[in-house]
Amino acid sequence: MEEMYCQSCGMPLVKVEDFATNKDGTPMSEYCIYCFKDGAFTGDISMEDMINISLKHMRELFKGDPDFNEQAALIKMRDFFPELKRWKKSL
């Protein structure tokens, strides 16, 4: 099965609970529940702001991991995010 990612923040979509919801409350697999809920984005945010928020979460997730390289993660996200559906149209 192909791994799915939120087309806004890049979060892996593994469980149905992670999926966004349409206006009628049904699950929608393009976005995560944090970025898109009840048929709309949860916030008006720029791609760079989303990258910074994601980096903050990564810092916490990989806290204490000597192999985590924040600068490398930032470079990867700046390459990856423009390919996500939400950000493709704005470039």
Side-chain angles (χ1 to χ4, degrees):
M1 185 170 125
E2 185 181 334
E3 193 166 19
M4 296 187 308
Y5 297 92
C6 173
Q7 294 297 303
S8 176
C9 72
M11 180 179 116
L13 298 171
V14 182
K15 303 174 285 191
V16 174
E17 300 85 53
D18 296 334
F19 291 1
T21 54
N22 291 304
K23 210 172 200 173
D24 64 3
T26 59
M28 183 248 245
S29 63
E30 282 190 321
Y31 298 102
C32 75
I33 192 68
Y34 305 108
C35 292
F36 197 88
K37 189 174 183 178
D38 299 327
F41 286 108
T42 57
D44 185 22
I45 188 169
S46 71
M47 184 179 73
E48 193 62 32
D49 287 342
M50 183 64 79
I51 289 171
N52 290 329
I53 290 168
S54 295
L55 187 59
K56 179 183 168 193
H57 289 291
M58 289 179 81
R59 277 189 211 114
E60 188 60 33
L61 184 65
F62 295 106
K63 186 189 233 176
D65 183 344
D67 294 328
F68 176 65
N69 181 322
E70 186 174 321
Q71 197 57 38
L74 188 58
I75 290 167
K76 283 183 181 180
M77 285 190 287
R78 287 193 174 138
D79 285 341
F80 178 64
F81 274 54
E83 297 302 315
L84 298 174
K85 183 177 180 178
R86 183 174 187 185
W87 310 115
K88 263 187 180 180
K89 62 184 174 198
S90 67
L91 296 177

